[in-house]
Amino acid sequence: MKVAIYPGTFDPITNGHLDILNRAATIFDLVYIAVAMDVDKKTIFSVDERIQMIHDCTQEFTNIKISHFNGLVVDYANQVGASVIIRGLRAVSDFEFEFQMALTNRHLNENIDTVFLMPRVDYTYLSSSVVREIARFGGDVSRFVPENVQIELLKKLREKK
Ligand code: COA
């Protein structure tokens, strides 16, 4: 059984992430979406909220598991029996950072490889912070995130006011 993990902050999950997840789920037998708990970034959603949003918009997938992790991604991959880390490559600008991370992760664990998948071109410049920013200024994010995330974003922004 080929198991992969798709790690990220997912603050919040976007259609770009779902595009990558969809591709990964057709290639691998099981894909863990691994929500990183301990990140340098200041997140607007708690880990539980991020997991709940992912859960609500991935109901149609039959071969994914949603989880969270602390510490090194290779250690978590090892723990769940994954031999592959999935990363999305959106543009050339992602490459250098991803290259460094993939080689560092290989240095940390030779048995785990990184597989890069490219999302649809419409999502090339999408990121969670772009989505948060558009929503914060009252813009329409319906093209970028699933409906449940749109609702949660509006709720969160209202709470913050
Ligand atoms: N569609 C839309 N947005 C995407 C995307 C896609 N397909 N792929 C990436 N993004 C966005 C993310 O939402 C994120 O947006 P943000 O910066 O506005 O929040 C941005 O692109 C960067 O994404 P990514 O590089 O995946 O960062 P991340 O913060 O989501 O995840 C970890 C990084 C958690 C996977 C990484 O830091 C990690 O593995 N940490 C654990 C410690 C460790 O093992 N470090 C590695 C040693 S080298």
Side-chain angles (χ1 to χ4, degrees):
M1 179 142 138
K2 267 281 170 218
V3 181
I5 75 165
Y6 181 29
T9 308
F10 303 111
D11 186 44
I13 189 164
T14 68
N15 289 341
H17 294 123
L18 287 169
D19 181 290
I20 298 289
L21 181 65
N22 196 21
R23 289 170 205 282
T26 61
I27 300 171
F28 296 95
D29 298 311
L30 176 62
V31 179
Y32 280 84
I33 309 183
V35 177
M37 296 173 75
D38 188 16
V39 283
D40 288 338
K41 303 174 187 178
K42 196 174 177 314
T43 59
I44 64 163
F45 291 105
S46 68
V47 172
D48 288 345
E49 288 169 331
R50 284 180 268 152
I51 288 177
Q52 186 63 49
M53 283 186 284
I54 296 171
H55 178 264
D56 292 347
C57 66
T58 54
Q59 293 294 311
E60 82 267 26
F61 292 93
T62 52
N63 60 336
I64 66 160
K65 283 189 178 169
I66 306 160
S67 59
H68 54 83
F69 75 104
N70 246 328
L72 292 175
V73 70
V74 286
D75 290 344
Y76 186 66
N78 204 27
Q79 197 183 311
V80 296
S83 55
V84 168
I85 296 171
I86 303 290
R87 296 292 291 165
L89 260 194
R90 291 161 300 169
V92 178
S93 51
D94 280 345
F95 181 77
E96 199 158 323
F97 174 70
E98 292 298 337
F99 186 67
Q100 183 189 26
M101 200 149 86
L103 292 183
T104 308
N105 283 332
R106 178 179 291 163
H107 177 78
L108 294 169
N109 189 329
E110 270 287 334
N111 302 319
I112 296 171
D113 262 307
T114 304
V115 168
F116 295 101
L117 296 172
M118 269 149 282
R120 259 172 63 176
V121 74
D122 322 35
Y123 304 135
T124 302
Y125 295 103
L126 190 56
S127 72
S128 300
S129 40
V130 162
V131 166
R132 293 196 303 269
E133 176 124 333
I134 297 171
R136 189 155 65 91
F137 292 115
D140 178 12
V141 292
S142 59
R143 279 176 52 214
F144 306 130
V145 293
E147 199 180 346
N148 69 303
V149 173
Q150 207 182 332
I151 293 167
E152 292 306 318
L153 263 172
L154 291 177
K155 217 192 282 176
K156 180 65 73 179
L157 293 169
R158 236 177 279 129
E159 278 168 21
K160 280 187 164 270
K161 273 188 187 161

